[in-house]
Amino acid sequence: MTTTLSPAPVPKTTARPSRYRHIQQGLRERLAPYAFVAPFFLLFLVFGLFPLLFTFYVALFDWDPIGERHFVGLANFSQLVQDPRFWGALRNTFSIWVLSTVPQLLIALGLAHLLNHVRLRAATFFRMAVLVPYVTSVAATTIVFAQLFDRDYGMLNWFLELLGFAHVDFTASVWGSHLMIAVMVAWRWTGYNTLLYLASLQAVPRELYEAAAADGATGWQQFRHITIPSLRPIIVFTVVTSTIGGLQIFTEPLLVNPVGGLTCGAARQCQTLTLFLYEQGFGRFHFGYGAAIAVALFVMVVLFSTINYLLVTRVRPERP
């Protein structure tokens, strides 16, 4: 009697083919970068894009925060164009921006060039010391400068009196208040821009300056033909950011004239666009009109930033 042995059953495998594993792994690698940056875009969507779009929406209404809301279309923008307070705030903003931005960038460029070339003892200390104004509280800075520019007991007026000049009431005059605010802004941001320029200069090979000096180039020629072209990308960055910050200035004019409040004086001599926006939106609760001012400010910031970017990038570095 013979017995036949049946072959042993082959166990079923549940493992996926290797090609599916490769596809799944490749998909994870492609999606991983998007997962890492997704939180930023979610936060920007909630706290950046949505408020911006909602501001455009509110600007089309006569918006009462506790009452009714009536659609008025472009009436708020029409009122804005005919409002002399808006044009006065725009002139003040532009004046303070020019008086503060141009000197601070020029001084920062010169300081960075000096700190990068001059051999100083404790150079790290001086490089970090220029950043102290940036980390100082804006309120504290404003209080100190308000005392320095005070009409009766300010140090600046005391010095003018020694020279035989009469005291100047900086907060009461247009140009005086603009100059005082511009000095505060420049003092606070010059060190920050200096460190940006200095960090960029550290990457410039020292051999370029040595070769230029060997060829007989003066310090000014080295600054013009080596330093400026090397700093061109960071100069574009600082010009754009300074434009955005200068057109949105708020705290300094608000605190420099506490008696004037949101109008920054009886004649609105130093009221900026952001102060005017805050006065209409949260001082008088004209939310629709305040939103229209915010939209106009947004358009101007984008416009001026684009113009400055084009002007700076239009200057091409000279090729050897």
Side-chain angles (χ1 to χ4, degrees):
M1 182 177 180
T2 60
T3 58
T4 58
L5 299 176
S6 58
V10 179
K12 296 181 178 181
T13 176
T14 58
R16 294 183 180 181
S18 60
R19 61 189 183 94
Y20 291 105
R21 289 198 300 270
H22 288 302
I23 294 176
Q24 187 177 13
Q25 183 179 2
L27 185 61
R28 285 199 301 266
E29 292 178 354
R30 292 179 180 179
L31 294 179
Y34 297 97
F36 288 133
V37 300
F40 165 77
F41 287 102
L42 291 176
L43 291 175
F44 173 75
L45 178 64
V46 175
F47 298 103
L49 184 60
F50 172 74
L52 178 63
L53 297 178
F54 190 69
T55 301
F56 280 86
Y57 174 75
V58 174
L60 302 176
F61 288 82
D62 182 8
W63 193 285
D64 189 344
I66 58 176
E68 298 181 355
R69 304 161 188 173
H70 304 284
F71 180 78
V72 295
L74 300 177
N76 287 323
F77 295 97
S78 177
Q79 179 185 352
L80 188 67
V81 174
Q82 301 173 6
D83 193 346
R85 299 172 301 175
F86 168 75
W87 295 108
L90 178 60
R91 286 192 298 269
N92 294 338
T93 303
F94 186 78
S95 173
I96 295 172
W97 167 58
V98 172
L99 291 175
S100 62
T101 300
V102 176
Q104 73 170 282
L105 294 182
L106 294 178
I107 295 173
L109 191 60
L111 285 176
H113 182 73
L114 182 65
L115 292 174
N116 187 52
H117 288 277
V118 177
R119 297 184 179 274
L120 298 174
R121 293 185 178 181
T124 304
F125 169 78
F126 288 104
R127 291 172 181 176
M128 295 304 298
V130 297
L131 197 62
V132 172
Y134 174 72
V135 300
T136 305
S137 170
V138 181
T141 302
T142 305
I143 293 173
V144 171
F145 274 88
Q147 295 298 322
L148 291 176
F149 284 86
D150 185 71
R151 181 190 61 182
D152 299 320
Y153 306 104
M155 183 179 296
L156 184 58
N157 273 311
W158 172 80
F159 183 72
L160 291 176
E161 185 179 3
L162 289 180
L163 297 179
F165 296 99
H167 285 204
V168 179
D169 191 353
F170 288 94
T171 59
S173 62
V174 175
W175 289 107
S177 58
H178 292 186
L179 179 62
M180 180 170 56
I181 296 173
V183 170
M184 286 189 291
V185 175
W187 182 82
R188 185 166 184 262
W189 288 98
T190 298
Y192 173 80
N193 292 319
T194 299
L195 285 188
L196 290 179
Y197 292 149
L198 181 60
S200 182
L201 283 176
Q202 296 293 314
V204 179
R206 185 72 62 176
E207 291 78 9
L208 291 178
Y209 293 99
E210 295 176 353
D215 291 338
T218 63
W220 168 249
Q221 291 174 334
Q222 296 178 27
F223 178 78
R224 179 182 175 185
H225 297 287
I226 298 178
T227 302
I228 297 297
S230 301
L231 291 178
R232 183 169 168 269
I234 198 65
I235 289 176
V236 173
F237 172 78
T238 54
V239 167
V240 173
T241 54
S242 298
T243 300
I244 296 173
L247 294 177
Q248 295 179 341
I249 185 172
F250 175 79
T251 308
E252 288 85 352
L254 176 64
L255 298 179
V256 77
N257 194 349
V259 179
L262 296 178
T263 60
C264 197
R268 299 177 181 267
Q269 61 268 17
C270 58
Q271 186 185 46
T272 58
L273 282 176
T274 50
L275 267 182
F276 183 51
L277 185 160
Y278 192 87
E279 178 199 4
Q280 297 300 315
F282 299 97
R284 303 181 182 272
F285 298 105
H286 299 160
F287 278 16
Y289 192 51
I293 300 171
V295 172
L297 179 61
F298 170 77
V299 173
M300 282 184 286
V301 168
V302 173
L303 179 62
F304 278 104
S305 299
T306 304
I307 293 175
N308 281 335
Y309 173 79
L310 294 176
L311 289 177
V312 175
T313 55
R314 193 178 182 85
V315 181
R316 300 294 179 182
E318 299 182 8
R319 295 184 177 181

